[in-house]
Each structure stands twice: as structure tokens, then as C-alpha cells.
Amino acid sequence: MKHVTMFSEDIFAGLISLIFIIDGARPIIENFTESRLTLTNCMFEALLFIWTFGLATYLSSFRRSPWTFRFVRNFAANFAVTIALVSGSALAAIYSNDTGLRMLQVDADFSPNLSLSDGSKRPWIINPAGMDRPFPAWGIAYAILPAIGFAVLGYLDQNLTSVIVNRPSNNLKKPAAYHLDLFVRGALTLPICAVLGLPLSVASTVPSITHVISLTTYEVKQLPEGERKVPTKVVEQR
């Protein structure tokens, strides 16, 4: 990744952010265009969307406001997303019966959700030879091209995210546990996910960058072209 420039990092981060924005707004738009829900349901889900996004955006910049005590402003800014999600979930729970809000259905038991053809749930351990029926040999060759694409995507996502997070401007110290964490993930997490049929663990760009930002203390410097936030300290948790 030595040939990756800051311009490449910004383009990649922008594309990933755009995907998150589209995926977040698309269900709200589809509610109105596809007539899947009543108008009350659509409006309430849209209001929850606006409330959560608006509150998180407002609180994230609350640190620089003149209101209330400094520790309150810092707390609100550091946990802006969490506060917005909790408050939005609380509103959804309170008014779900009145508005017919769709809620996520979760099984009471802790088990895989995939149901086989006989109605039973799949076992925890994945059988590479097939579970419902024998896996055909041609399927291995057929899966090569998608697997290559997935490998390239995973490589770019993981490494470009690492490059962005470890920018020199963030001034990370990266103690020994930082590298131990990556070793444990590669040696233990990925094989276990493969055996259990779980999603692979990758450094997702938006959550990773958001996590670093939430742990960063910024100093606002006055420059000829305007104000600029400069990282002064990152609270590393390893």
C-alpha cells in the first residue's frame, strides 16, 4: 500500500461513506414509493431517521458551543451517536404500537437462523461438502471469480482503512498490543468465522474512522484560510 496517496484515501473514504448514506436513505424512500406501509408508518420511520441523524450531527459539534458545563459538552460530543441511537430507539419503542412500526424479529434461543429444507436450523459447524444436499464439484470452480472479487475488496477495505486510521496526523503511538490485536484477529477470528459460517471480520471504514474521531482531542487553529481542527491526542485503547 506504499503507492496509496492521501488523495486515494479520501476517494475511498468518500465512496464508502456514500454507500452508507445511500443504504441508510434508500429504505425510507422506498417506504413512500413502493406503498409497502401506511402513510403513518412511513412518516414515523422518516421522522425517526431525521431525529437520529440530526441529533447525532448536532451533538457531535456540541463541544464547541457555549452552552452548559464543559464536561457536559464533552460527554455529549463524545457519545453523540450513542445518545442519538438510544433516544431514537426509545421513541420507537414508546410509539411502536400506535404507529405500527416494524421491529426487528429476534429468536428467543441462541442458534443459527438459517432454516434447512426440512425446517430445522442449520448446525453451528458448516459442512463444506454441503448441508441440504451434496455440494457439486463445479460449484468450486464457479465460486473462484466471486471469491477473487471478494478477496480484492476485503484487501482494499482492510488496508486502506488501516492507512487512513494510521495517518501521521493522528499521531498514534501503536503500542505492542496494537499489533497483538491484529495477530489474534488473523490467527483466531477468521478461521473461527469460516468454520461457523459467520461474516468475516474486516476493518470497516466508516465505523473505524468514527471510532478514531470519537477518541481524538482536537485543537482549533486559526489559519489564513480559516479555522482548522488539528488532532492533538488520541486515547488509544490497546
Side-chain angles (χ1 to χ4, degrees), residues 59 62-63 69-80 83:
L59 291 180
F62 194 63
R63 181 182 285 109
F69 301 104
R70 176 179 294 179
F71 76 91
V72 176
R73 298 198 303 267
N74 290 335
F75 179 85
N78 290 336
F79 296 94
I83 294 173

Side-chain angles (χ1 to χ4, degrees), residues 71-184:
F71 76 91
V72 176
R73 298 198 303 267
N74 290 335
F75 179 85
N78 290 336
F79 296 94
V81 177
T82 302
I83 294 173
L85 290 175
V86 170
S87 61
S89 300
L91 290 174
I94 293 172
Y95 297 104
S96 60
N97 293 331
D98 298 332
T99 59
L101 182 68
R102 296 173 297 174
M103 305 295 285
L104 178 64
Q105 301 298 322
V106 180
D107 292 340
D109 58 331
F110 183 68
S111 62
N113 287 331
L114 178 63
S115 298
L116 303 179
S117 57
D118 59 359
S120 63
K121 293 185 177 180
R122 75 162 179 88
W124 280 102
I125 305 298
I126 294 295
N127 183 3
M131 293 184 296
D132 254 347
R133 55 185 180 275
F135 189 75
W138 58 264
I140 300 175
Y142 184 81
I144 290 178
L145 288 179
I148 293 175
F150 179 80
V152 172
L153 178 61
Y155 175 81
L156 292 176
D157 194 13
Q158 169 70 37
N159 287 276
L160 282 173
T161 300
S162 299
V163 170
I164 294 173
V165 169
N166 293 287
R167 279 179 174 175
S169 59
N170 289 334
N171 196 26
L172 297 180
K173 304 301 180 183
K174 293 184 288 186
Y178 179 91
H179 304 285
L180 178 62
D181 177 63
L182 296 178
F183 171 77
V184 171

